[in-house]
Amino acid sequence: MVENDSLVEHKGRRRRALKRARDLTTSQDILLFLIAFRILNALSVRTFFQPDEFFQSLEPAWQMAFGAHSGAWITWEWNYRLRSAIHPAMFTFVYWVTSRISDALNLQPAYRAELLLAAPKITQAILAGLGDYYTWKLAERVYGRGSSESWAALALTAGNPWQWFCSTRTLSNCLETTLTTVALYLWPWQWSSDTTSEEEVDEDGLRIDGDSQNEADELSKLRRCLLLAALACVLRPTNLLIWLCLASFSLLKSTSYGRLVPFRWAGSLIWIHVSSVAMLRATKKERYVLLKEATLCGSLILALSALVDRLYYQQWTFSAFRFLYFNVVQSLAVIYGKNDWHYYMSQGVPLLLTTYLPFAIVGLFTALSSSPSRASDHQSPHLRGTICYQLASVAISVPFVLSFISHKEVRFIYPLLPMLHVLAADPFSAFFYPAVSSTFSGSFRKTSWKRVLLFLMIAANVLIALFATQWHQPAPLSVLTWLREQHEEHYLAQPPQSKTSSPDTTMTVGFLMPCHSTPWRSHLIHSGIKAWALGCEPPVDLNASARAIYVDEADQFYNNPASFLRRTMGPPPRRKGFLGARAPQPGLRSPGLDPEKGWDGKQGKKLWPEYLAFFEQLEPAMKIVLRESGYRECWRGWNSWFHDDWRRKGDIVVWCLRERDRDKRS
């Protein structure tokens, strides 16, 4: 009898081991697929979205990797120590490794440039793939392994056009989203539910999640969760709102219920939701561990951030505090735009979800109003209800708080998207699963319209993704590609003019555009390309009265282009004497201007360059200002059918002093 029991136990352990091996293989396959999918995604994106994609990550990274005189444009936030250098430091390492590989392989400048362009994209693509993967794993933790809802969450995150458009860009918000998603997967959700006698505890006295796929102990998972959460908060201090909300669920016990109440004079039913709060929900041991580990992990990440910032800024600073002080207390972010109070609800969330919005709304309503007892057979009903309720609460609370800040952008609520995918997965699966499942016994006619609707949704998502990543605003990237190719063809490939001289590899470019309309050194690459652009530094050191009348350099130009050019650059060069010139001649310089100043975002007097780039909207004015000069159109690139900024309407046009470059088109 004992031998039979041992044999049964041995077979049981073997079956469990085989099941874990199959699950691990499936997970690894999905992870590799998602990473490959996002690498393809990253390398196919050819449109411009936000300047911060370059100026808050790749530009400081380029400076750290290649030196202060490498041509990187360091914006005012870095001069005032508002940003943590941790995010650029990651790309600094990527640039350093890529450069060393290029040197070891003795690559030609053009191939080296392509490699330096692709390396940050591939790095971010890997992070984006991890974000997709842990969205799926979080859904499995909510709905259970192998559930239709978890597969629906995977389909939602992989098929979301916003993800295709944004997830592989080198924005700090994209890294923040991945860190938040992994941390949510590791978060001890079971601690925020009431204690029962049936729950298992580990050797530390902490309740464990019996359905979790993670083999690590609860304390190790908590530490990894808190380290990632703290890092996300250092990158974007507003991420702290997510974790304060979740921590409150673990430390406070809330009771809530709702009902539809008829109002006769209104002639409608109104949903009344009532909540009460009481101490305490987690056990005393869990509260102690959570507070202790949060303090330790938070202190460790803050120390790491302080050390990295000390190495970058060459002085001790606390960038998160300075960021909040400048953007919230002084409201300097308003300079970059002011939005309606309802922006996140009326525009932000719809942009994130696109065609999935109805399912997310249903998922939010269901999570907030339903009893935790409604759950599938794959997961603990109580835990599923607990997680969904908390995710929905966070998804509503964070935009509500951020709405009090005047400057709003959709990417500020990007970390909420994985939560919304998980919440939308249940109604999405319930709606479409009967139409696509071969085991469903319903009639074909009853479900065929759902299959048509699903096809239309997929087609709409593909069209939106293609429009956003291929056709809307590609010129800010393609113009830099063309300029880089011009430099490689006409400068790097040219022999010296005499046996005793070395080839002149300096090419000059000017961008008469609203500030930060294109990437910079991360796409120009070659140090021989000297470039300037119009700046838009905010009035940081001015008093309120001076700030009210402040006009930045870009606005000064657009107020009167002819006067600005005459004042800051002098008369334009004439055609005679400049045909075929390969470098700026003395006549191109403004009186008294140091030729080493005025480049790479520095404001003030500038040189007349060999190449002038501007938006088509400015073309009539430029034809008048430069009608007797040596400049002629040599490149034109498609940008967009429409734009919300009148200064950026139309194609991007390049005029140059090189006759051989004329009549080239994109």
Side-chain angles (χ1 to χ4, degrees):
M1 187 69 178
V2 175
E3 291 181 358
N4 290 337
D5 291 342
S6 299
L7 182 60
V8 170
E9 183 180 354
H10 174 72
K11 289 181 177 179
R13 286 198 302 268
R14 184 178 178 183
R15 281 195 299 270
R16 289 192 295 271
L18 290 173
K19 187 178 185 303
R20 283 197 300 270
R22 286 194 299 269
D23 291 340
L24 181 61
T25 302
T26 301
S27 297
Q28 290 175 343
D29 291 343
I30 290 176
L31 176 59
L32 292 175
F33 167 77
L34 289 171
I35 290 176
F37 178 70
R38 288 303 174 196
I39 289 176
L40 174 64
N41 181 178
L43 297 179
S44 65
V45 172
R46 55 187 297 266
T47 56
F48 183 85
F49 173 38
Q50 280 284 343
D52 285 3
E53 179 183 352
F54 313 102
F55 292 96
Q56 302 304 338
S57 56
L58 299 186
E59 289 301 309
W62 189 280
Q63 183 197 49
M64 285 189 276
F66 302 114
H69 302 289
S70 58
W73 184 342
I74 304 303
T75 56
W76 70 276
E77 295 100 324
W78 299 97
N79 296 326
Y80 284 90
R81 309 187 303 280
L82 304 188
R83 304 286 183 180
S84 170
I86 287 183
H87 187 221
M90 177 181 71
F91 293 109
T92 299
F93 177 74
V94 172
Y95 277 139
W96 184 84
V97 171
T98 305
S99 179
R100 294 299 178 274
I101 293 174
S102 300
D103 293 341
L105 297 176
N106 196 26
L107 295 180
Q108 295 295 320
Y111 294 116
R112 179 180 182 273
E114 292 297 332
L115 199 58
L116 287 170
L117 272 171
K121 297 180 181 181
I122 293 174
T123 302
Q124 181 57 45
I126 294 172
L127 294 171
L130 286 171
D132 292 332
Y133 175 77
Y134 278 99
T135 299
W136 172 59
K137 300 298 284 184
L138 175 62
E140 283 202 324
R141 190 165 181 192
V142 176
Y143 301 111
R145 269 180 282 185
S147 61
S148 60
E149 295 91 344
S150 64
W151 289 110
L154 179 61
L156 290 175
T157 188
N160 189 328
W162 174 267
Q163 288 285 77
W164 184 266
F165 171 67
C166 186
S167 68
T168 60
R169 298 182 184 271
T170 53
L171 292 161
S172 60
N173 310 87
C174 298
L175 177 57
E176 175 198 10
T177 300
T178 295
L179 294 174
T180 303
T181 306
V182 181
L184 288 173
Y185 168 70
L186 297 169
W187 180 254
W189 299 99
Q190 67 277 10
W191 293 6
S192 52
S193 61
D194 293 327
T195 307
T196 64
S197 58
E198 299 177 356
E199 289 183 300
E200 299 180 47
V201 297
D202 62 10
E203 58 185 13
D204 296 317
L206 306 175
R207 282 179 290 171
I208 64 175
D209 180 6
D211 295 307
S212 176
Q213 305 167 50
N214 200 316
E215 299 297 328
D217 62 89
E218 291 300 315
L219 188 58
S220 297
K221 289 193 294 183
L222 178 64
R223 285 171 177 166
R224 282 182 284 173
C225 169
L226 294 174
L227 287 172
L228 294 172
L231 184 56
C233 293
V234 167
L235 289 175
R236 303 287 305 180
T238 51
N239 192 267
L240 185 63
L241 294 171
I242 295 175
W243 302 105
L244 288 176
C245 191
L246 291 179
S248 68
F249 282 113
S250 293
L251 299 177
L252 301 176
K253 178 180 179 180
S254 64
T255 303
S256 62
Y257 62 91
R259 60 179 300 181
L260 288 171
V261 179
F263 283 78
R264 295 179 181 177
W265 59 87
S268 61
L269 297 175
I270 299 179
W271 179 266
I272 302 296
H273 191 82
V274 181
S275 297
S276 61
V277 178
M279 298 288 285
L280 292 159
R281 174 170 272 172
T283 65
K284 182 178 180 180
K285 177 69 173 178
E286 290 165 352
R287 295 195 302 272
Y288 170 75
V289 169
L290 180 60
L291 294 173
K292 182 191 75 171
E293 295 300 330
T295 302
L296 292 176
C297 294
S299 300
L300 179 61
I301 294 299
L302 284 176
L304 174 63
S305 175
L307 179 60
V308 174
D309 289 346
R310 175 68 178 82
L311 294 174
Y312 178 73
Y313 292 114
Q314 296 299 301
Q315 59 180 298
W316 293 107
T317 186
F318 187 30
S319 58
F321 172 78
R322 294 181 63 84
F323 174 86
L324 292 173
Y325 175 74
F326 272 77
N327 287 282
V328 179
V329 179
Q330 291 197 355
S331 296
L332 285 174
V334 177
I335 296 173
Y336 297 105
K338 186 176 181 180
N339 306 87
D340 295 327
W341 64 268
H342 54 76
Y343 171 83
Y344 288 122
M345 291 297 101
S346 61
Q347 299 179 52
V349 172
L351 283 172
L352 287 178
L353 291 165
T354 57
T355 58
Y356 304 149
L357 181 61
F359 301 101
I361 292 174
V362 173
L364 284 167
F365 180 81
T366 302
L368 292 172
S369 61
S370 297
S371 168
S373 61
R374 66 169 291 282
S376 65
D377 297 332
H378 297 276
Q379 178 59 292
S380 164
H382 188 69
L383 185 58
R384 168 176 171 167
T386 296
I387 299 176
C388 288
Y389 180 82
Q390 293 181 29
L391 291 177
S393 300
V394 171
I396 290 177
S397 301
V398 172
F400 174 78
V401 175
L402 292 179
S403 294
F404 288 96
I405 301 175
S406 298
H407 180 62
K408 305 174 183 68
E409 293 184 36
V410 61
R411 60 194 176 96
F412 295 167
I413 59 170
Y414 188 16
L416 303 179
L417 184 57
M419 307 180 206
L420 294 170
H421 282 153
V422 171
L423 293 171
D426 185 16
F428 184 87
S429 173
F431 187 81
F432 284 114
Y433 183 72
V436 298
S437 174
S438 59
T439 60
F440 184 70
S441 57
S443 67
F444 181 83
R445 289 184 178 180
K446 288 182 179 180
T447 59
S448 59
W449 70 273
K450 291 186 177 181
R451 284 192 288 272
V452 173
L453 179 61
L454 180 61
F455 172 79
L456 292 176
M457 283 183 60
I458 294 173
N461 288 346
V462 170
L463 288 176
I464 294 171
L466 287 175
F467 173 79
T469 60
Q470 302 296 316
W471 304 323
H472 185 61
Q473 298 193 85
L477 302 185
S478 57
V479 67
L480 297 190
T481 300
W482 183 80
L483 289 169
R484 191 173 63 251
E485 292 172 349
Q486 290 295 296
H487 183 260
E488 293 163 358
E489 178 182 355
H490 297 303
Y491 294 83
L492 298 181
Q494 293 297 319
Q497 296 179 356
S498 67
K499 294 182 179 179
T500 59
S501 64
S502 58
D504 194 335
T505 60
T506 302
M507 166 180 164
T508 56
V509 185
F511 293 88
L512 292 173
M513 302 176 175
C515 64
H516 309 142
S517 290
T518 70
W520 203 250
R521 191 57 55 183
S522 62
H523 281 62
L524 290 172
I525 304 292
H526 303 299
S527 59
I529 302 178
K530 292 283 190 179
W532 56 256
L534 302 176
C536 55
E537 305 296 304
V540 176
D541 298 321
L542 301 182
N543 57 36
S545 57
R547 191 178 298 176
I549 61 174
Y550 173 78
V551 180
D552 63 43
E553 188 179 49
D555 287 340
Q556 291 176 35
F557 168 75
Y558 278 96
N559 288 340
N560 192 328
S563 174
F564 179 90
L565 293 175
R566 185 169 54 252
R567 183 177 68 253
T568 60
M569 299 172 65
R574 294 182 179 273
R575 174 177 295 277
K576 184 178 179 180
F578 297 104
L579 289 177
R582 295 192 303 183
Q585 305 296 320
L588 289 172
R589 299 175 182 171
S590 299
L593 176 64
D594 184 346
E596 294 303 318
K597 295 182 179 180
W599 305 107
D600 302 319
K602 300 180 180 67
Q603 298 193 59
K605 289 192 173 183
K606 308 177 189 304
L607 299 176
W608 282 104
E610 296 173 274
Y611 297 84
L612 269 177
F614 49 86
F615 283 97
E616 185 179 7
Q617 176 274 335
L618 194 63
E619 195 169 19
M622 295 302 294
K623 286 181 177 179
I624 296 174
V625 173
L626 301 178
R627 63 180 178 271
E628 296 181 358
S629 73
Y631 287 103
R632 296 294 182 272
E633 180 180 328
C634 53
W635 185 87
R636 181 180 293 264
W638 161 260
N639 193 48
S640 64
W641 287 281
F642 59 89
H643 205 288
D644 56 356
D645 187 344
W646 63 270
R647 301 171 301 175
R648 292 184 167 98
K649 288 184 178 179
D651 300 339
I652 285 184
V653 184
V654 179
W655 285 15
C656 56
L657 290 169
R658 289 177 170 279
E659 190 174 67
R660 61 168 167 254
D661 293 336
R662 201 183 309 165
D663 298 328
K664 292 190 177 181
R665 296 291 184 272
S666 170

